[in-house]
């Protein structure tokens, strides 16, 4: 079975969440309104949690290769990029139309977690 890159990608996006979170806490904090600073922090928080989820999917997939886990991992990666990415750009630029694609990322994250849960249920 081909090794999937979820552990590596998860670790990389966790690293980026720390860097981006620190950037938000120090470099952009004074230039963003409280609303957009909260949006920025939401993006960073979700990125970290889902990076950890991606690592977990990768570890589980190594021990028990599964198409459900593979699909869940790709949905989680796509959801994290769309959800957090759109919120980062929205908070830094104020381009509100980007808020329209954020739910697409959220739905991808929900699908990932449901597939993960179904895999766990099915594996028992």
């Amino acid at each position: 079975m081909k090794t999937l890159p979820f552990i590596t990608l998860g670790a990389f996006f966790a690293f980026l969440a720390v860097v981006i979170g620190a950037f938000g806490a120090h470099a952009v904090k004074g230039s963003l309104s409280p609303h957009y600073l909260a949006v920025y922090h939401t993006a960073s928080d979700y990125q970290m949690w889902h990076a950890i989820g991606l690592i977990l999917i990768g570890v589980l997939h190594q021990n028990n290769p599964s198409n459900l886990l593979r699909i869940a991992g790709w949905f989680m990666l796509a959801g994290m990029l769309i959800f957090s990415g759109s919120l980062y750009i929205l908070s830094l630029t104020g381009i509100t139309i980007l808020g329209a694609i954020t739910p697409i990322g959220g739905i991808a994250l929900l699908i990932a977690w449901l597939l993960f849960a179904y895999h766990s249920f099915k594996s028992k």
Side-chain angles (χ1 to χ4, degrees):
M1 168 70 54
K2 180 181 171 190
T3 302
L4 296 173
F6 297 137
I7 296 171
T8 303
L9 288 169
F12 176 72
F13 280 101
F15 165 82
L16 283 180
V18 173
V19 170
I20 291 168
F23 181 73
H26 301 289
V28 299
K29 183 178 182 178
S31 62
L32 296 180
S33 71
H35 169 73
Y36 282 131
L37 188 59
V39 169
Y40 187 92
H41 284 297
T42 296
S44 180
D45 289 346
Y46 271 69
Q47 180 178 333
M48 180 57 83
W49 284 111
H50 289 91
I52 294 167
L54 202 55
I55 292 168
L56 183 58
I57 287 172
V59 169
L60 291 175
H61 189 273
Q62 281 184 337
N63 294 325
N64 182 16
S66 158
N67 279 336
L68 283 173
L69 286 175
R70 181 182 54 79
I71 295 167
W74 291 118
F75 267 101
M76 191 163 291
L77 178 64
M80 182 175 40
L81 289 170
I82 296 167
F83 184 86
S84 292
S86 66
L87 290 182
Y88 288 132
I89 295 169
L90 168 65
S91 64
L92 294 172
T93 67
I95 301 172
T96 57
I97 192 69
L98 290 172
I101 67 167
T102 304
I104 296 168
I107 290 168
L109 294 172
L110 291 171
I111 291 169
W113 286 112
L114 283 174
L115 290 170
F116 193 173
Y118 182 68
H119 166 77
S120 176
F121 175 77
K122 192 179 119 177
S123 295
K124 291 185 176 193

